[in-house]
Amino acid sequence: MKAINQFLQKTFALWVLLFAGIAMYMPEAFIWLKSYITWMLGIIMFGMGMTLSWEDFKSVLSQPKAVAIGVGAQFIVMPLLAWGLCIAFRLPAEIAIGVLLVGCCPGGTASNVIAYMAKANVALSVACTSVSTMLAPLLTPLIFYLLASQWIDIDAVAMLVSVMQVILFPIILGVIVSGLFKQKIDQYIEMMPMVSVIAIVLIVAAIIAGSKVQILQSGLLILAVVILHNGLGYFIGYWAAKLLQLNQADAKAVSIEVGMQNSGLGVALAAVHFAATPITALPSAIFSLWHNISGPVLASYWATRDKAHLKKHEYDDDVIK
């Protein structure tokens, strides 16, 4: 099971691409899953709750500055970047709402895997994801209301309730179940990464299947905005951490946390609150597709560069000796 989990996580982007392609070719095979997106995201969040431990919360207390920078950047940089891109590209209202929605979401759970691959501070990544996710029921509707109200009337209270149902309650339930049955559920916890991968792949496939016409019409424009949003998130997150004097491992973790969104939440919120305009869910779906490609690429670059840097230092030390 551990080997299967590792394989699925390493090939995550390939599975997303494969099923997105199948969904475009045979949308009828996946479109029925749209009714279950909220449930699938709830399962992912329940699994996250089951994996949380006191150690995760202690890591927040042990490095409060780094966690504050990561979470602060998450809820400042990505929403403002989304708003700026909507203005710069003069996006139609239904697409702009979708871009802002994914921009206001917390960090994605896949960021922890990418942080590990990049040899970043994984404990910091987990702490930032946990804190931003717990703050999302309040901050996601509030920030979205402030930035998106120029395009559409928003019921922030209804959105707050949705985020609590999809994120907060499943996480709390997962923490409770883990605490009560710790010894009995260890084997199930090991399966949760695999369950999360499958659920995210199916969520993306469902949205792609339901938005085939819109993808053919506006897919390239949305892809360009998503690539810029994601890339600038990585860049600004990294240099903000550096300017605030975090070390390299912490800066990489913050960069990944900022650049990678919980796009599944964006899809779920769009499906619930903007069902009349299916294209609103498309930026979140494409973001989920893209950041699972860009994340591993960035991680590989950093891991390779760090390895080369280490070899250079070892060579210099040998020369000095």
Side-chain angles (χ1 to χ4, degrees), residues 46-318:
F46 175 73
M48 179 181 175
M50 288 175 68
T51 60
L52 288 177
S53 66
W54 176 240
E55 294 299 319
D56 298 324
F57 295 102
K58 282 204 302 187
S59 68
V60 176
L61 299 175
S62 66
Q63 44 189 343
K65 176 184 173 182
V67 173
I69 291 170
V71 174
Q74 175 70 55
F75 284 115
I76 295 172
V77 172
M78 293 306 275
L80 289 180
L81 276 176
W83 181 81
L85 288 168
C86 291
I87 300 298
F89 281 83
R90 298 182 180 178
L91 296 179
E94 61 271 18
I95 297 177
I97 292 164
V99 171
L100 283 167
L101 197 54
V102 72
C104 295
C105 286
T109 52
S111 61
N112 307 149
V113 178
I114 301 303
Y116 175 77
M117 291 170 58
K119 301 189 185 303
N121 185 338
V122 178
L124 174 59
S125 177
V126 171
C128 288
T129 301
S130 302
V131 173
S132 67
T133 301
M134 299 301 279
L135 291 174
L138 176 63
L139 294 183
T140 293
L142 175 61
I143 298 170
F144 182 70
Y145 175 80
L146 292 173
L147 296 178
S149 54
Q150 71 182 83
W151 281 282
I152 193 172
D153 291 330
I154 298 161
D155 189 342
V157 175
M159 188 169 287
L160 183 148
V161 172
S162 294
V163 180
M164 290 181 71
Q165 290 174 338
V166 173
I167 283 189
L168 194 60
F169 293 158
I171 286 179
I172 292 173
L173 183 61
V175 171
I176 292 171
V177 169
S178 178
L180 292 176
F181 307 103
K182 183 63 178 174
Q183 301 300 323
K184 297 180 180 179
I185 63 170
D186 282 347
Q187 58 183 329
Y188 298 107
I189 291 176
E190 288 183 6
M191 293 177 61
M192 290 315 298
M194 180 176 67
V195 172
S196 296
V197 168
I198 294 170
I200 292 170
V201 168
L202 291 178
I203 287 171
V204 173
I207 293 301
I208 296 293
S211 309
K212 180 177 178 178
V213 175
Q214 292 88 347
I215 290 172
L216 295 175
Q217 292 175 344
S218 307
L220 288 178
L221 172 62
I222 297 173
L223 178 61
V225 171
V226 163
I227 290 173
L228 282 171
H229 194 193
N230 174 239
L232 289 170
Y234 289 142
F235 181 81
I236 295 173
Y238 178 82
W239 286 108
K242 279 290 189 180
L243 287 172
L244 292 168
Q245 300 182 331
L246 296 187
N247 62 39
Q248 177 70 359
D250 288 355
K252 288 190 291 185
V254 169
S255 171
I256 292 165
E257 280 302 307
V258 174
M260 299 188 74
Q261 299 293 87
N262 187 340
S263 46
L265 175 61
V267 169
L269 291 176
V272 171
H273 296 280
F274 306 103
T277 53
I279 197 172
T280 300
L282 200 53
S284 293
I286 293 178
F287 201 106
S288 184
L289 180 68
W290 176 251
H291 81 181
N292 284 304
I293 297 170
S294 66
V297 169
L298 179 62
S300 297
Y301 165 74
W302 264 330
T304 303
R305 193 183 70 168
D306 288 354
K307 189 175 180 180
H309 190 64
L310 180 62
K311 283 185 176 180
K312 183 178 182 301
H313 273 290
E314 289 175 350
Y315 174 78
D316 290 343
D317 290 342
D318 288 341

